[in-house]
């Protein structure tokens, strides 16, 4: 059995035996996967991290799930919130939520996911999203959404997980789409 064939476990970040090391792995994966890799300053880098990762680790740690390899290292994560971002002050710095408020009311929970290259194409991302969505369902919320750039390669990943384009907005002069999924049932192929 090769290292690639060994099982990857999904667990809540709060249940990881070494949350500090796991947080470092999450941040490493976050910056490796980020569309922005060059920053004008350390402050700009910190602001970027806070906007797309840090606020979730701080305010919604129970909604953070990690994919863990046999050595205990994190090879992927999903972070998110049950709070509707168009109606929650801590997300006011992301202007497209105001444009999408009519949709976030129906799909209030939202997530961000990233994987290390070693964990891609193994079903890991789908398992992370399902762990997150099970919590959304348990909380009694009707749906979950992601926002991504129109035409990005991750759109097909979300579509395989039954997310459907529900609307669009503009962010920094570029089109973004909100992909929503009902949370009332598990993935039909799961």
């Amino acid at each position: 059995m090769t290292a690639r064939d060994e099982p990857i476990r999904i667990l809540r970040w709060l249940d990881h035996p070494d949350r500090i090391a796991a947080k470092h792995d999450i941040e490493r994966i976050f910056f490796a996967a980020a569309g922005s890799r060059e920053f004008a300053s350390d402050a700009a880098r910190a602001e970027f991290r806070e906007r797309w990762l840090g606020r979730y680790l701080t305010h919604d740690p129970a909604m953070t799930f990690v994919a863990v390899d046999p050595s205990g290292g994190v090879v992927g994560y999903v972070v998110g919130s049950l709070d509707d971002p168009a109606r929650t002050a801590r997300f006011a710095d992301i202007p497209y939520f105001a444009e999408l408020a009519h949709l976030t009311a129906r799909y209030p929970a939202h997530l961000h996911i990233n994987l290390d290259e070693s964990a891609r194409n193994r079903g890991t991302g789908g398992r992370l999203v399902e762990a997150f969505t099970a919590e959304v369902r348990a909380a009694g919320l009707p749906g979950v959404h992601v926002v991504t750039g129109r035409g990005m390669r991750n759109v097909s990943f979300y579509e395989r997980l039954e997310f459907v384009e529900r609307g669009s907005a503009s962010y920094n002069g570029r089109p973004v789409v909100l992909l929503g999924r009902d949370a009332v049932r598990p993935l039909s192929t799961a």
Side-chain angles (χ1 to χ4, degrees):
M1 180 180 284
T2 68
R4 181 161 172 83
D5 297 327
E6 293 191 37
I8 292 176
R9 296 178 301 128
I10 306 299
L11 61 133
R12 201 178 300 271
W13 173 51
L14 294 176
D15 295 334
H16 193 285
D18 187 349
R19 284 200 318 256
I20 301 293
K23 183 177 180 182
H24 289 298
D25 286 343
I26 290 168
E27 289 176 345
R28 174 187 51 78
I29 294 165
F30 169 75
F31 281 109
S36 299
R37 296 199 179 153
E38 307 235 349
F39 300 93
S41 65
D42 288 343
R45 185 178 194 272
E47 180 182 323
F48 180 81
R49 179 206 171 275
E50 180 60 23
R51 177 174 291 132
W52 305 114
L53 177 65
R55 72 177 90 207
Y56 300 100
L57 297 174
T58 300
H59 296 283
D60 302 288
M63 294 304 295
T64 299
F65 292 87
V66 292
V68 179
D69 68 16
S71 72
V74 172
V75 294
Y77 70 87
V78 62
V79 295
S81 179
L82 298 175
D83 299 328
D84 182 338
R87 292 159 181 80
T88 305
R90 75 176 177 275
F91 302 107
D93 62 327
I94 304 174
Y96 57 70
F97 284 129
E99 282 184 70
L100 299 170
H102 65 290
L103 296 169
T104 63
R106 173 66 182 86
Y107 304 96
H110 63 285
L111 63 86
H112 299 275
I113 182 171
N114 283 303
L115 300 174
D116 184 84
E117 286 189 34
S118 68
R120 293 182 186 154
N121 301 310
R122 298 176 67 179
T124 305
R127 291 173 58 212
L128 284 165
V129 170
E130 286 310 303
F132 183 90
T133 304
E135 293 296 314
V136 173
R137 199 169 28 259
L141 295 177
V144 58
H145 77 267
V146 297
V147 176
T148 190
R150 179 173 301 286
M152 298 295 288
R153 66 182 172 91
N154 64 352
V155 170
S156 63
F157 163 75
Y158 292 117
E159 288 172 341
R160 284 192 303 276
L161 297 176
E162 300 180 1
F163 284 81
V164 175
E165 182 176 332
R166 307 292 182 177
S168 62
S170 180
Y171 183 62
N172 290 336
R174 295 189 179 130
V176 295
V177 292
L178 182 142
L179 305 170
R181 176 180 156 190
D182 291 334
V184 294
R185 61 177 174 66
L187 184 63
S188 61
T189 58

